[in-house]
Amino acid sequence: MVTNQASNLKELLAKDEKYLSSALYRVFHIVAEKGEGPYIYSTDGVKYLDLTCGIGVTQLGHCHEEVIKAAQEQLTKLVHISCVTHHTENIKLAEKLASILPGNLNNTFFCNSGSEAVDGAIKFARRLNPGRPNLIAFKGSFHGRTIGGTSLSSSKEVHRKFYDPLLPGVNFVEFPNCYTGKYKEHSAERVLETLEQMFKSYLSPDSISAMIIEAMQGEGGYLPAPLKPINFLKELRNICDKHKILLICDEVQSGIGRTGKWFSINHYDVVPDVITIAKGLGNGLPIGGFCASHERMSTMPPASHGSTFGGNPVSCAAAYKTLEVIERDNLLDYVFKTGSEIIDHLAKELSTQANVRGFGFMIGIELESKEKVEKVKDECFKENILILPTGEKAIRLLPPLNIEKALLTNSIDKLINIIKKV
Ligand SMILES: Cc1ncc(COP(=O)(O)O)c(C=O)c1O
């Protein structure tokens, strides 16, 4: 039980306002003090069910005992060494990642965040594909806050406004949407045609080093790329192969078991050339990376990229334990099966109010309007349940992968009632 004598919400928020940058957006104006499994506790002692996982990070819930123990043990052994020497923990973690990555992807560069992973992947693509300055990204995508990540993102105006000139050579293509009527013109076939037309008319494919895509868009509205009637990712794979363009799959939000498979691209049976990871990897400790084949990664000579803190021993130890627990506890099967049941249940119950989509525990519920989404979020908050909006007018659910089924279904039923009422 959280006791907080010093808890004075008003005072804390005033100090927050005074000392923290206004650029930092917060969804809920409570002050978190403690996390435990699927719950967080605010300074005033209120317990909230966290269906956000700190935006897809605490895959095993807050302060998972085994992950914390692994990090604590590492803290007493070696905290930091950077590139001064090799160290045991990034070797161990990279080997583990190689065993879960698809196809021939078996080599990782570690950094601290998703944005850095994306920037690194772009540098890698440019090195591997020299003389090809252009990139392709998809509308509605989000790839981070660095200048590189910002340049490749288009989910919200506020993320880009006033930051020009951004990285040149980024070309945006529609992300196919097979879910909502309004976007019928953005069918997978149509998007692929547009791409071919671009290649023929003004953007030579041999000027493009890489294409970056989220197989399931995160900030863009929890929108999976279509699998039917055509597998969009497979078609992109073919186009990339034909033109020697690298296919980068950004799994920062959708990876590490979130969708009931290690990576969302696994649902499409496609092996990309590069995968970017972060968020859920360290269960809350900062770590990211980009992964490719050993053969390709070896084209980057020593010091052609680097990071002081990237892949630090403590984050690596926490990440290794996170992967081990997901595997040991068969969480991928649990998430896939439970997530499918929940998605079906939501779709059935909300057939007239919402478009429900997703894989595993990455669930999007698109409502009629942004206002409705805000109201639902506020009503959930009143019931001590934290959910997040995404995209133009969708709710996203990202519960911990190990949440008890009864707790999850119970909260989903509360959410359904709220949506029906609102
Ligand atoms: C798909 C995707 N890529 C990259 C990022 C950036 O990650 P970070 O905030 O760790 O820099 C995010 C963050 O939300 C993301 O969802």
Side-chain angles (χ1 to χ4, degrees):
M1 177 64 203
V2 173
T3 49
N4 190 352
Q5 319 79 351
S7 151
N8 178 338
L9 185 61
K10 254 191 178 164
E11 208 177 292
L12 281 170
L13 291 182
K15 282 190 184 176
D16 179 303
E17 206 268 334
K18 187 169 176 193
Y19 296 115
L20 287 165
S21 166
S22 57
L24 188 62
Y25 169 75
R26 258 64 60 87
V27 183
F28 300 102
H29 298 292
I30 50 172
V31 181
E33 186 176 51
K34 179 180 148 154
E36 200 173 55
Y39 298 106
I40 65 149
Y41 297 79
S42 63
T43 46
D44 33 11
V46 183
K47 176 178 168 184
Y48 295 90
L49 178 64
D50 179 10
L51 299 184
T52 79
C53 279
I55 321 195
V57 171
T58 50
Q59 304 298 70
L60 299 174
H62 293 279
C63 300
H64 187 271
E65 215 175 295
E66 289 169 275
V67 176
I68 295 304
K69 189 162 173 269
Q72 277 171 339
E73 281 175 8
Q74 189 55 42
L75 272 168
T76 61
K77 281 201 256 174
L78 179 73
V79 179
H80 177 78
I81 190 63
S82 192
C83 61
V84 177
T85 71
H86 297 257
H87 69 82
T88 50
E89 300 312 297
N90 61 358
I91 298 172
K92 201 170 141 190
L93 178 61
E95 185 184 16
K96 181 81 196 156
L97 279 168
S99 75
I100 63 167
L101 283 159
N104 62 349
L105 276 64
N106 57 3
N107 198 275
T108 301
F109 180 95
F110 288 116
C111 53
N112 305 287
S113 68
S115 308
E116 279 179 64
V118 167
D119 272 26
I122 297 307
K123 283 165 90 176
F124 171 66
R126 289 199 164 160
R127 232 176 200 290
L128 206 67
N129 255 339
R132 290 176 171 233
N134 291 318
L135 296 160
I136 289 186
F138 288 82
K139 290 192 190 164
S141 59
F142 182 77
H143 297 293
R145 302 294 199 155
T146 50
I147 288 289
T150 303
S151 308
L152 294 161
S153 301
S154 66
S155 58
K156 279 203 184 90
E157 189 199 25
V158 67
H159 295 162
R160 293 176 62 102
K161 204 173 172 184
F162 299 120
Y163 300 145
D164 286 308
L166 292 170
L167 201 64
V170 178
N171 298 269
F172 285 101
V173 177
E174 291 297 339
F175 187 84
N177 184 335
C178 57
Y179 294 95
T180 39
K182 182 184 153 198
Y183 297 110
K184 277 280 188 289
E185 69 272 28
H186 301 152
S187 68
E189 292 92 331
R190 185 80 195 93
V191 173
L192 293 166
E193 271 170 35
T194 312
L195 207 52
E196 288 295 350
Q197 272 165 14
M198 276 168 71
F199 289 172
K200 280 190 193 130
S201 51
Y202 66 95
L203 187 68
S204 168
D206 37 318
S207 72
I208 303 165
S209 52
M211 210 181 261
I212 182 161
I213 188 161
E214 298 159 87
M216 177 161 170
Q217 283 197 333
E219 302 305 307
Y222 270 34
L223 203 57
L227 257 167
K228 288 181 195 157
I230 57 169
N231 180 334
F232 184 68
L233 269 303
K234 266 211 168 134
E235 297 298 324
L236 281 191
R237 177 70 279 178
N238 292 338
I239 292 174
C240 287
D241 285 344
K242 185 169 152 200
H243 301 293
K244 297 196 167 49
I245 298 169
L246 286 194
L247 182 61
I248 303 172
C249 189
D250 185 347
E251 296 274 2
V252 166
Q253 191 155 164
S254 56
I256 318 295
R258 171 64 42 210
T259 66
K261 294 195 187 274
W262 281 116
F263 302 98
S264 62
I265 193 80
N266 296 138
H267 293 281
Y268 297 84
D269 199 19
V270 164
V271 179
D273 300 301
V274 186
I275 282 185
T276 53
I277 48 176
K279 284 194 185 279
L281 180 59
N283 208 57
L285 274 90
I287 185 163
F290 64 92
C291 316
S293 72
H294 180 267
E295 191 193 354
R296 282 183 160 153
M297 200 73 103
S298 307
T299 61
M300 290 191 100
S304 59
H305 191 47
S307 169
T308 296
F309 292 116
N312 81 80
V314 180
S315 291
C316 284
Y320 185 86
K321 185 52 80 178
T322 303
L323 298 180
E324 207 178 51
V325 172
I326 293 175
E327 206 163 50
R328 184 198 66 199
D329 295 352
N330 287 322
L331 291 179
L332 298 184
D333 286 349
Y334 172 68
V335 167
F336 187 73
K337 193 165 166 281
T338 312
S340 303
E341 284 169 21
I342 284 173
I343 291 167
D344 288 348
H345 180 56
L346 279 163
K348 197 167 144 233
E349 287 294 322
L350 300 172
S351 59
T352 55
Q353 286 102 336
N355 178 268
V356 182
R357 62 230 177 187
F359 296 117
F361 285 178
M362 188 166 180
I363 302 171
I365 306 169
E366 184 168 325
L367 301 182
E368 213 173 88
S369 66
K370 189 177 166 53
E371 290 68 38
K372 275 207 168 167
V373 169
E374 284 302 310
K375 271 193 195 151
V376 171
K377 187 196 82 186
D378 292 345
E379 288 304 311
C380 283
F381 181 69
K382 284 184 200 158
E383 302 240 3
N384 296 356
I385 300 173
L386 305 184
I387 58 162
L388 289 173
T390 181
E392 212 183 306
K393 48 189 171 75
I395 290 163
R396 59 176 136 176
L397 303 177
L398 331 65
L401 309 186
N402 57 357
I403 191 171
E404 268 177 41
K405 192 169 170 182
L407 177 62
L408 182 59
T409 48
N410 187 275
S411 60
I412 295 292
D413 284 336
K414 283 188 186 161
L415 173 66
I416 290 171
N417 285 336
I418 289 172
I419 296 177
K420 284 184 176 170
K421 257 195 247 153
V422 160

